[in-house]
Amino acid sequence: MANTTEIVSFYDRDLRLTHSSTDLKGTSGGVAAPGAAIWEIYPSFRDPKLRAALDRVLNGGPPANVELEVSSSEARGRVFLFGAADWLGIIERTSEPRRQGTGETQEHETLLHQASHDPLTGLENRRRFSERLQQALSGVDGSKEKVALLQIDLDEFKAVNDTLGHGAGDTLLQLVADRIRYQLQGGESAYRYAGDEFAVIQSGKEQPAEAERLAVSLVDTLKAPFLINGIPVFIGASIGIAFGLEHGTESEQLMRAADIALYAAKRDGRGCARIFNRSMLLLLEQRENLRRSLRSALRNGELHLEYQPIFRPPSSVVGFEALLRWHHPEVGTIPPSVFIPIAETDGLMDDIGRWVLEQACRQARTWPSWMTVAVNLSPAQFLSGALTDTVAQVIDAAGLRADRLELEITETVLLEKTVDNIDTLNTLNVLGIRISLDDFGTRYSSLSYLKNFPFDTLKIDQYFISDLETDQKSQAIVRSIIGLAHGLGMRVTAEGVETPGQARFLIEEDCDYLQGNWLGRPLPGETTRDFIRGSVPSAVGTSEGQNRAM
């Protein structure tokens, strides 16, 4: 508002003033205060015909020029109306002399507005954003050294589109724009960038304090539920902040810095704001280098599997879990928690996942016929739609009985395209594949999953095992999970067993399988047969059974 040369005002659905440029009060005889009715500021709108024009724009109609009646209290002539969702905007240009409205003039005004504004939200568009940012950085408005750019990306917006439809998504974007606009003060202007991306430019303010203040208010306001068709919708926002001239002297530089900060906000859990710093750029460059390297890692033989033994108390090794490893020739060993998300994002998990299945099944063929191999599945593998065919082809080519393969999934799989994924799991079950629900108890742990699909095994996450000897709450949770699983006809595996005390507690509670470094560390494939031959039947949980792989 403070940066415009035009007289601009905004009104809610009751046609009462919410925001305006400072010049409005002078041209309206001093009545332009928040809450004032539109006809107090523009008496011509008492006329039913002009009121009908307001209603058309407010209810989703196209922008329109309106010729006001000239009277002693109102001699301003022509205004431009535009709206979105629950508000109406009026632009009154005082720099031009009043002239008779013609169809040509109205069309010209409409085209000018459409060229610089987003038609859905009424915010200025990306083109206008680029112009304004470059002006601010070049010091046209005198704020060259006090420019802040806030890049705003909505969290969970895709889920709204997917579940409620694109119409609800459009309404949500309009409501988001309204909330962003409501948080702005003088020297702040908002833009719709693209899709669910918005931006705010701050000029002439003390930084970084003012950018942080605005970012906090935006994150908070976008956390509150939106009511769409009577349904409360929850999203959120992540924000990246960059400052000129500190982080960029050109608009492209500043936008890149804000984008990198936005990426950091999303990486840190979303629903927060981050200010750009050089270490973010370094991390991003490292990630991009890993991304490029990962594309050739499989072809270059840098990926390999290790196998961690799984024990059935009191004495026997019943199988192994295949664990994917990446040994980078320059960086060294890269943990799966780093490279698996990259592979999922880049669409590499189908190829990598198939390779893991092939290697694990071939390795399992070298073990006794009653031993199983467990393989973790990525949620991304379910989205491809080819998982069941891939699994069937792999076990057939390897000559491995279906019941010797156990596929481990997390609850994240069941949150994505739930119906399709349940169908996929049922098909795998019909093939005879064992299905294990991994990390049970740490995420959503909806009991409906256990009712809707007959899992063979529940794996208790090591979070509950680590303090099992001292924490009564963990003991109660583990005891309950074991009882629940057995009541549903499922087996239970406890992972992360690191001490004999933990093993003893689990055995006393009738846990079916134990897995952890105290019992056996992950092994290269070629040493698994030696481990099996050297496994002496002895009670797990006693000193004799300790870590025979060490």
Side-chain angles (χ1 to χ4, degrees), residues 227-514:
L227 195 64
I228 301 177
N229 299 326
I231 301 173
V233 174
F234 294 85
I235 53 168
S238 301
I239 300 178
I241 305 171
F243 301 109
L245 307 166
E246 180 183 355
H247 300 143
T249 57
E250 298 292 331
S251 58
E252 290 296 328
Q253 291 176 324
L254 199 62
M255 290 162 60
R256 174 169 167 75
D259 275 337
I260 292 172
L262 175 60
Y263 172 81
K266 287 185 171 294
R267 186 190 62 222
D268 290 347
R270 303 187 177 189
C272 62
R274 294 292 181 265
I275 296 175
F276 174 79
N277 60 58
R278 302 297 173 185
S279 64
M280 291 178 182
L281 181 59
L282 179 61
L283 287 173
L284 185 63
E285 289 174 346
Q286 291 175 342
R287 183 181 176 87
E288 289 304 311
N289 289 335
L290 286 181
R291 174 174 280 116
R292 288 190 291 270
S293 298
L294 184 56
R295 288 191 172 275
S296 58
L298 186 59
R299 182 175 63 251
N300 296 339
E302 297 168 16
L303 298 181
H304 66 279
L305 297 182
E306 292 183 346
Y307 299 86
Q308 185 166 40
I310 301 171
F311 287 84
R312 180 172 57 214
S315 60
S316 59
V317 179
V318 294
F320 294 83
E321 179 180 357
L323 303 172
L324 181 59
R325 301 289 188 255
W326 179 17
H327 186 78
H328 192 284
E330 298 175 0
V331 179
T333 300
I334 300 173
S337 59
V338 172
F339 71 82
I340 291 295
I342 296 175
E344 291 175 335
T345 301
D346 284 11
L348 301 176
M349 278 312 302
D350 272 353
D351 291 339
I352 293 176
R354 185 184 183 103
W355 178 85
V356 170
L357 275 171
E358 290 173 344
Q359 296 299 310
C361 289
R362 287 172 185 164
Q363 185 64 54
R365 284 275 292 157
T366 68
W367 305 332
S369 61
W370 44 268
M371 282 195 171
T372 62
V373 61
V375 176
N376 291 279
L377 292 182
S378 160
Q381 291 173 265
F382 279 77
L383 298 179
S384 69
L387 179 62
T388 53
D389 289 340
T390 298
V391 172
Q393 292 166 7
V394 168
I395 60 175
D396 184 58
L400 188 73
R401 286 199 329 270
D403 63 354
R404 295 187 60 193
L405 175 62
E406 183 167 73
L407 299 178
E408 297 188 2
I409 68 166
T410 64
E411 289 165 294
T412 307
V413 168
L414 302 175
L415 295 177
E416 297 283 348
K417 296 173 62 178
T418 303
V419 174
D420 290 345
N421 288 342
I422 289 293
D423 288 344
T424 298
L425 292 176
N426 279 316
T427 301
L428 293 171
N429 189 46
V430 169
L431 291 175
I433 308 294
R434 300 184 184 189
I435 307 294
S436 172
L437 185 58
D438 200 6
D439 300 335
F440 186 77
T442 57
R443 293 178 181 266
Y444 302 92
S445 300
S446 172
L447 298 182
S448 64
Y449 301 153
L450 306 184
K451 180 180 179 181
N452 293 331
F453 182 79
F455 290 98
D456 295 282
T457 308
L458 292 186
K459 292 195 75 171
I460 305 176
D461 189 80
Q462 59 185 348
Y463 172 78
F464 300 109
I465 305 301
S466 61
D467 58 359
L468 195 55
E469 296 175 83
T470 58
D471 189 271
Q472 292 184 350
K473 291 181 179 179
S474 290
Q475 293 173 3
I477 290 171
V478 168
R479 192 177 291 119
S480 298
I481 293 174
I482 294 173
L484 173 66
H486 288 169
L488 294 172
M490 303 176 189
R491 295 180 292 271
V492 182
T493 299
E495 59 183 353
V497 179
E498 304 291 336
T499 68
Q502 294 168 358
R504 280 193 297 269
F505 178 91
L506 291 164
I507 292 171
E508 290 170 1
E509 295 299 327
D510 201 24
C511 185
D512 300 284
Y513 304 117
L514 307 183

Side-chain angles (χ1 to χ4, degrees), residues 45-71:
F45 284 119
R46 297 180 187 276
D47 183 279
K49 292 182 179 179
L50 296 183
R51 174 59 190 268
L54 285 179
D55 290 339
R56 281 195 298 272
V57 175
L58 185 59
N59 291 313
N65 279 288
V66 172
E67 193 75 19
L68 303 181
E69 295 181 3
V70 179
S71 66

